[in-house]
Amino acid sequence: MNQIPNFLLERVRLTPNRIAVVSDQEEITFKELHERVIQLAGRFHSCGIEKGKHVSVLMNNSIEFIVTVYAIHYIGAIAILLNTRLSEDEISYQIQNSDSNFLIVENENFIAPPSTVRVLEMNNIQQFEVKPVVIREYFNHDEIATMMYTSGTTGFPKAVLQSYGNHWSSAIASVLNLGLDQSDVWLVCLPMFHVGGLSTVYKSAIYGMKIVLAEKAEAGIVLNYINQYKITILSVVTKVLNDLLNFEDINKGLSSIRAALLGGGPAPLPLLQKAQERNVPVYQTYGMTETCSQIATLSPEFMLSKIGSAGKALFGCSLEIRENDKKSSPGVVGEIVVKGPNVSKGYYKLQTNDTSEFFYTGDLGYVDEDGFLFVVDRRSDLIISGGENIYPAEIESILLSHPDLIEAGVTGREDPTWGKVPIAFVIAKSKNHPSEQEMIEFCQKKLAKFKIPKEIHFVSSLPRNAANKLVRRELHKLL
Amino acid sequence: MNQIPNFLLERVRLTPNRIAVVSDQEEITFKELHERVIQLAGRFHSCGIEKGKHVSVLMNNSIEFIVTVYAIHYIGAIAILLNTRLSEDEISYQIQNSDSNFLIVENENFIAPPSTVRVLEMNNIQQFEVKPVVIREYFNHDEIATMMYTSGTTGFPKAVLQSYGNHWSSAIASVLNLGLDQSDVWLVCLPMFHVGGLSTVYKSAIYGMKIVLAEKAEAGIVLNYINQYKITILSVVTKVLNDLLNFEDINKGLSSIRAALLGGGPAPLPLLQKAQERNVPVYQTYGMTETCSQIATLSPEFMLSKIGSAGKALFGCSLEIRENDKKSSPGVVGEIVVKGPNVSKGYYKLQTNDTSEFFYTGDLGYVDEDGFLFVVDRRSDLIISGGENIYPAEIESILLSHPDLIEAGVTGREDPTWGKVPIAFVIAKSKNHPSEQEMIEFCQKKLAKFKIPKEIHFVSSLPRNAANKLVRRELHKLL
């Protein structure tokens, strides 16, 4: 449909007294959530937030985060969701690049915001008057609801445009695969500034489903939530699922789970086998910021026969493998291209896609004879570390901003805790170059902690192809 | 979304080997269904059925009916679904009025089709070659999929335009209310030439859900299906549900049912209380041909507190009570008006609605303080008899076509078996008028059996209001 209803407003009309969100501090119904949203929207309005304004949000998972995002939607402004793990430089860039008029923060911990933005602190938002707001009841399918930054292969962070229709379609495609039960409780242990977390917030309203916010995504803590709240669905990264399955007496502890959605790269076979032994139904998924959460998921009946696959494109979506713009044969690895009503139309102030055409993900995979997707590698060079995407090009450009370096190459190294961590190979201008430790300190000022290379190797040359392009997948040979 | 995927094609891509449909004769998977559709579409194509052609379907519930409808969709033609209970005159009118190029019948039992239409008999369709067809993969939201006739208050049958987007949106709105379980099996005991039955066919493909076709909608037979196939959902009319609940040892027999959708007019309180005693969750629904199945349904948590209500408009839909185009206060009876992506844009060759505006249903009801709909009466004068809609004006116009009558009024009389049956009051030109029996015989030639008045009373005047308009609700006073 062309008109997308205001998710929360619709839900409040239908089942106001169902529990919407549970946090460690409290649980609130959809009606209570709505009432808080109305209040906050009113305060935002008296601060000048209006329809169409760009509002950056720099918050960690909390009920207040959800209230903030919906308040922005109720007004019809656009929410830019910033990763709280980024460095101040990175955050400042995104605030400016997104033309944000406002920045919502939990408290004054953000020291040096750009002067172009008005900062509103949630811990003293009460000082502002509640000015009545005309609540948006409907949105157009293509109207932008949120933006989230992703660096892509270029190393330049760019804002993915996510429309109300994208978010709605994602929730609908997912329910047709996962089903929906009145007793469903979804545990949110992914950050809500990423689409994996935020999409669950929208699903809560669209499905009328309770969500529980995990304080931390550590396995021991997650297990407590599962037991306490009879969690039926959760989205996890490989590391957390692995740890969960390594607990003893797990059968009892995880029995309420009817679906563990596993994203963030191809799952190792031993993990899936362990899950199978322990009766935890793992739904391997494939998705990205540009697809507003999953675009492919393995249907339950294929869990055993297609172990390791990310399934098929969800109902109404499609995917193909292409090489040189031609569809590859089954079994042949190529670039994954996707299409569907949940696929973003592009990037803010940059290229936009014709959404009736396929979107090139940059990820590598193949489709088997039965049409099942197997993801071979994320965006050739992408490093996924503890669920966060790290783009080598971004780190390389920071390294190259140092006056003593002339070349840099970054790749991922296996890590037992994080899956992968970034490591760098650099060429210095002269023998009097800074030490590895000095370079790491240089990066600390400019990059989020998880992006700082764990090793920086000084080398004399980097692997390059015929076109003199850096071949990052060969960097590890320099070790 | 603007593009609606071909429901069956999408489902075959995702879960080809799930059972799609079970009949008394066989059960077939989605893949097998698709293969039959491809075959039939090829034969239809070699007969000249092409994109945009109008194809009337005169068939009873069967797997072949489903194959036929999908074959028409695969080609991109428009299916006009004719009620097999109508008289030949009525059917001929609808074939002509809908500008049908083709008429699909089970066999040659339809004697005198209009000369403008080419008749294809399913029992010898094999004689036609299978000519390859370009299968439609997507449809536009507004593209017409089906038409179904409804008489409305005017007495003139008119074809409701039902788009692919209408059918899709109806299935989506329903799943967000009813939920979806992998073990769901929906029993189809409503005719598929009505939207109540047809919508279940589409839901089967969209949800990946098994449906079972009941040979008859008699309670004893329905109970057998429920037991044999562990039916979880069924749509029923009051009479069948009532009979079902009157069987002894019902607790065992109905325990698999998680939702009994009850449409077709306000449900009597004793029936709902009996269902409650017997643990059968009844979802009272409200819908019509123009809303492509339900538009309001009572959510399970309100089953007890709002007994007798048809609930609230489904997610993404809305409804109001209006009197003289103004919204009525809670508790005040008025006309029910509805809006949503499942609402038809209007009638073939007649008025079309702006679908962003409310559609006036002609039904009467009120909304309570909490926003719950209570349907008081269907379209003031509408008579619902065994799940079929009967419009008094239509019968009146047939009666008035008799040369010896000058006035006629038709209303419904309570009937223990059918809910209501039509009865007529007529004024004759002279004392030498035909007998009641002669008038009934006159009607038999022109009207479906269920529409023929059970009583015809000759009277000297009919109740009329100040504007000299017939007041049908006062007709019973003449008895």
Side-chain angles (χ1 to χ4, degrees):
Chain A
M1 60 180 152
N2 258 329
Q3 279 206 316
I4 306 294
N6 178 328
F7 307 149
L8 181 57
L9 206 59
E10 271 299 86
R11 179 48 56 193
V12 170
R13 179 178 68 74
L14 285 165
T15 55
N17 299 319
R18 282 193 199 170
I19 298 297
V21 194
V22 179
S23 74
D24 286 356
Q25 287 73 44
E26 54 176 342
E27 61 174 41
I28 60 170
T29 64
F30 287 104
K31 191 171 170 224
E32 288 162 348
L33 177 58
H34 163 77
E35 283 161 359
R36 289 196 202 179
V37 170
I38 292 277
Q39 283 276 316
L40 185 60
R43 295 190 203 281
F44 279 175
H45 190 41
S46 71
C47 297
I49 298 183
E50 285 164 16
K51 186 177 166 186
K53 294 279 182 193
H54 289 200
V55 184
S56 277
V57 176
L58 183 66
M59 294 170 75
N60 290 303
N61 284 10
S62 64
I63 289 182
E64 282 310 292
F65 181 110
I66 298 173
V67 174
T68 301
V69 169
Y70 275 121
I72 295 167
H73 294 333
Y74 271 40
I75 292 172
I78 295 173
I80 296 104
L81 302 165
L82 304 176
N83 185 336
T84 57
R85 296 175 195 164
L86 298 184
S87 72
E88 290 211 358
D89 276 6
E90 292 170 311
I91 290 171
S92 290
Y93 176 81
Q94 297 184 4
I95 291 169
Q96 285 175 312
N97 178 263
S98 62
D99 298 320
S100 288
N101 311 103
F102 295 88
L103 169 67
I104 316 292
V105 294
E106 279 152 345
N107 46 49
E108 68 275 37
N109 60 3
F110 186 63
I111 297 157
S115 60
T116 51
V117 79
R118 176 162 175 201
V119 182
L120 299 176
E121 291 170 21
M122 286 300 284
N123 66 348
N124 58 17
I125 196 78
Q126 304 290 339
Q127 69 181 283
F128 298 103
E129 178 201 0
V130 177
K131 197 171 151 191
V133 176
V134 178
I135 300 173
R136 293 290 301 275
E137 295 184 14
Y138 290 94
F139 303 96
N140 289 323
H141 186 289
D142 293 335
E143 188 173 346
I144 302 307
T146 51
M147 296 193 217
M148 288 182 185
Y149 274 82
T150 173
S151 289
T153 48
T154 60
F156 284 105
K158 45 192 180 174
V160 179
L161 299 166
Q162 300 168 325
S163 72
Y164 287 96
N166 291 154
H167 289 304
W168 164 260
S169 303
S170 169
I172 296 305
S174 177
V175 79
L176 294 180
N177 184 44
L178 285 184
L180 176 63
D181 190 277
Q182 259 218 287
S183 65
D184 276 336
V185 185
W186 197 312
L187 183 70
V188 182
C189 43
L190 300 177
M192 298 192 296
F193 52 71
H194 285 334
V195 79
L198 186 68
S199 61
T200 318
V201 173
Y202 296 138
K203 284 179 179 129
S204 164
I206 295 170
Y207 303 168
M209 176 183 71
K210 189 199 283 187
I211 57 175
V212 175
L213 307 186
E215 188 225 334
K216 277 189 180 178
E218 285 170 17
I221 294 173
V222 167
L223 188 62
N224 287 342
Y225 285 105
I226 293 170
N227 285 299
Q228 187 176 352
Y229 295 105
K230 304 278 169 260
I231 299 298
T232 62
I233 312 180
L234 75 171
S235 325
V236 279
V237 294
T238 310
K239 178 173 161 32
V240 174
L241 183 61
N242 198 38
D243 290 352
L244 266 181
L245 294 170
N246 279 330
F247 281 113
E248 291 192 8
D249 191 22
I250 205 77
N251 283 322
K252 183 168 170 285
L254 301 179
S255 61
S256 63
I257 295 178
R258 72 171 185 86
L261 279 92
L262 183 65
L269 197 61
L271 174 71
L272 294 169
Q273 285 165 337
K274 199 185 291 172
Q276 192 186 318
E277 280 164 27
R278 299 204 161 171
N279 260 326
V280 175
V282 174
Y283 286 60
Q284 279 209 83
T285 69
Y286 171 66
M288 65 208 77
T289 310
E290 287 88 341
T291 62
C292 292
S293 178
Q294 328 149 45
I295 188 150
T297 300
L298 195 64
S299 289
E301 62 253 64
F302 302 110
M303 206 112 62
L304 306 180
S305 59
K306 296 291 181 185
I307 205 160
S309 165
K312 296 181 175 182
L314 297 176
F315 202 102
C317 304
S318 48
L319 65 81
E320 276 182 22
I321 304 299
R322 289 194 180 172
E323 202 158 28
N324 301 324
D325 284 337
K326 277 192 184 159
K327 192 174 172 177
S328 301
S329 306
V332 177
V333 173
E335 183 168 356
I336 304 168
V337 301
V338 298
K339 195 165 70 172
N342 54 328
V343 177
S344 163
K345 73 172 180 192
Y347 306 96
Y348 182 58
K349 294 194 291 194
L350 293 168
Q351 78 275 25
T352 50
N353 320 316
D354 175 356
T355 51
S356 68
E357 297 292 328
F358 279 98
F359 167 75
Y360 281 71
T361 65
D363 294 336
L364 298 176
Y366 66 93
V367 163
D368 73 5
E369 291 286 349
D370 301 321
F372 286 80
L373 173 68
F374 290 78
V375 180
V376 171
D377 207 355
R378 296 300 295 258
R379 310 200 177 195
S380 24
D381 302 321
L382 178 66
I383 304 161
I384 301 183
S385 184
E388 290 282 355
N389 287 351
I390 302 176
Y391 299 91
E394 190 183 358
I395 303 175
E396 288 159 7
S397 75
I398 295 295
L399 289 167
L400 288 172
S401 71
H402 191 285
D404 293 332
L405 299 192
I406 51 171
E407 283 187 34
V410 170
T411 188
R413 189 199 71 193
E414 301 291 330
D415 183 90
T417 306
W418 302 109
K420 285 200 169 171
V421 291
I423 60 170
F425 299 85
V426 296
I427 302 177
K429 231 176 226 170
S430 68
K431 284 191 182 168
N432 290 328
H433 61 73
S435 70
E436 180 180 7
Q437 188 51 39
E438 282 166 346
M439 281 310 304
I440 287 177
E441 281 162 19
F442 174 78
C443 290
Q444 279 165 349
K445 292 185 205 129
K446 295 169 182 279
L447 285 170
K449 204 176 158 198
F450 61 88
K451 295 181 190 170
I452 296 163
K454 297 295 163 288
E455 302 164 12
I456 299 181
H457 300 277
F458 286 85
V459 294
S460 57
S461 73
L462 294 178
R464 293 190 177 271
N465 66 11
N468 207 30
K469 215 183 147 198
L470 180 66
V471 184
R472 294 196 187 93
R473 64 177 177 275
E474 293 186 6
L475 283 170
H476 70 274
K477 292 182 183 166
L478 298 176
L479 281 175
Chain B
M1 60 181 151
N2 258 329
Q3 278 205 317
I4 305 295
N6 178 326
F7 307 149
L8 181 57
L9 206 60
E10 271 298 86
R11 179 48 56 192
V12 170
R13 180 178 68 73
L14 285 165
T15 56
N17 299 318
R18 282 193 198 168
I19 298 296
V21 195
V22 179
S23 74
D24 285 356
Q25 287 74 42
E26 54 178 342
E27 60 174 42
I28 60 170
T29 64
F30 286 104
K31 191 172 171 223
E32 288 162 348
L33 177 59
H34 164 76
E35 283 161 359
R36 289 196 202 179
V37 171
I38 292 277
Q39 284 276 316
L40 185 60
R43 296 190 203 282
F44 280 175
H45 190 39
S46 72
C47 296
I49 298 184
E50 285 165 18
K51 187 178 166 185
K53 293 280 183 195
H54 288 200
V55 185
S56 276
V57 177
L58 183 66
M59 295 171 75
N60 290 304
N61 284 10
S62 64
I63 289 182
E64 284 310 293
F65 181 109
I66 297 172
V67 174
T68 301
V69 169
Y70 275 122
I72 296 168
H73 294 333
Y74 271 39
I75 293 171
I78 295 173
I80 296 103
L81 301 166
L82 303 176
N83 185 336
T84 58
R85 296 177 195 162
L86 299 185
S87 73
E88 291 211 358
D89 276 6
E90 291 169 310
I91 291 171
S92 291
Y93 175 81
Q94 297 184 5
I95 291 170
Q96 286 176 313
N97 177 264
S98 63
D99 298 320
S100 289
N101 311 102
F102 295 88
L103 169 67
I104 316 293
V105 294
E106 279 153 346
N107 46 49
E108 67 276 39
N109 60 4
F110 185 62
I111 298 157
S115 60
T116 51
V117 79
R118 177 163 175 201
V119 181
L120 299 177
E121 291 169 20
M122 286 301 284
N123 66 349
N124 59 16
I125 196 78
Q126 304 291 336
Q127 69 181 285
F128 297 104
E129 180 200 0
V130 177
K131 196 172 154 191
V133 175
V134 178
I135 300 173
R136 294 289 302 275
E137 295 184 15
Y138 291 93
F139 303 96
N140 289 322
H141 186 290
D142 293 335
E143 189 174 344
I144 302 307
T146 51
M147 295 192 216
M148 288 181 184
Y149 274 82
T150 173
S151 290
T153 47
T154 60
F156 284 107
K158 45 190 181 174
V160 179
L161 299 165
Q162 299 168 326
S163 72
Y164 287 96
N166 291 154
H167 288 304
W168 164 261
S169 304
S170 168
I172 296 305
S174 178
V175 79
L176 294 179
N177 185 43
L178 285 184
L180 176 63
D181 191 277
Q182 260 217 285
S183 65
D184 275 337
V185 185
W186 197 312
L187 183 70
V188 182
C189 44
L190 300 178
M192 298 193 294
F193 51 71
H194 285 334
V195 80
L198 186 69
S199 61
T200 318
V201 173
Y202 296 138
K203 284 180 180 130
S204 164
I206 295 170
Y207 303 167
M209 175 184 72
K210 188 198 285 186
I211 57 175
V212 175
L213 307 186
E215 188 224 335
K216 277 189 179 175
E218 284 170 16
I221 295 172
V222 167
L223 189 61
N224 286 343
Y225 284 105
I226 293 169
N227 285 300
Q228 188 176 351
Y229 296 105
K230 304 275 167 264
I231 299 297
T232 62
I233 312 180
L234 76 170
S235 325
V236 280
V237 293
T238 310
K239 174 169 163 38
V240 174
L241 182 61
N242 198 39
D243 291 351
L244 267 181
L245 294 171
N246 280 330
F247 281 113
E248 291 192 8
D249 193 22
I250 204 76
N251 284 321
K252 183 167 169 287
L254 300 179
S255 61
S256 63
I257 296 177
R258 73 172 184 85
L261 279 91
L262 183 65
L269 197 62
L271 175 70
L272 294 170
Q273 284 164 338
K274 199 185 290 172
Q276 192 187 319
E277 279 164 27
R278 300 204 161 169
N279 258 327
V280 175
V282 174
Y283 286 60
Q284 279 208 81
T285 70
Y286 171 65
M288 64 210 77
T289 309
E290 287 88 341
T291 62
C292 290
S293 177
Q294 328 147 45
I295 189 152
T297 300
L298 195 63
S299 289
E301 63 253 64
F302 301 110
M303 206 112 59
L304 305 181
S305 58
K306 295 291 180 183
I307 205 159
S309 165
K312 296 182 177 182
L314 297 176
F315 202 101
C317 304
S318 48
L319 66 80
E320 277 183 21
I321 304 299
R322 288 194 180 172
E323 201 157 29
N324 302 324
D325 284 337
K326 277 191 184 162
K327 192 172 172 176
S328 300
S329 307
V332 177
V333 173
E335 183 168 357
I336 304 168
V337 301
V338 298
K339 195 165 69 171
N342 54 328
V343 177
S344 163
K345 74 172 178 192
Y347 306 97
Y348 183 57
K349 295 193 291 192
L350 293 170
Q351 79 276 25
T352 51
N353 320 316
D354 175 356
T355 51
S356 67
E357 298 292 328
F358 279 97
F359 167 75
Y360 282 71
T361 64
D363 294 336
L364 298 178
Y366 67 92
V367 164
D368 74 4
E369 291 286 347
D370 301 321
F372 286 79
L373 173 68
F374 290 77
V375 180
V376 172
D377 206 356
R378 296 300 295 258
R379 308 199 180 200
S380 23
D381 300 323
L382 178 66
I383 304 162
I384 301 183
S385 183
E388 291 283 356
N389 288 350
I390 302 176
Y391 299 90
E394 190 183 359
I395 303 175
E396 289 159 8
S397 74
I398 295 297
L399 289 167
L400 288 173
S401 71
H402 191 287
D404 292 333
L405 298 192
I406 50 170
E407 284 188 36
V410 170
T411 189
R413 187 199 71 194
E414 300 290 331
D415 182 272
T417 305
W418 303 108
K420 286 202 169 169
V421 292
I423 60 170
F425 297 86
V426 295
I427 302 177
K429 232 178 225 168
S430 67
K431 285 190 180 169
N432 289 330
H433 61 72
S435 70
E436 180 180 7
Q437 188 51 39
E438 282 166 345
M439 280 311 302
I440 287 176
E441 282 161 20
F442 175 79
C443 290
Q444 279 164 349
K445 293 185 207 133
K446 297 170 182 274
L447 284 170
K449 204 175 158 199
F450 61 86
K451 294 181 190 170
I452 296 163
K454 298 293 163 288
E455 302 164 11
I456 299 181
H457 300 276
F458 287 86
V459 294
S460 57
S461 73
L462 295 178
R464 295 191 176 271
N465 67 12
N468 207 29
K469 215 182 148 199
L470 180 66
V471 184
R472 294 196 186 92
R473 63 175 177 277
E474 293 188 4
L475 282 170
H476 70 275
K477 292 183 184 165
L478 298 176
L479 280 176

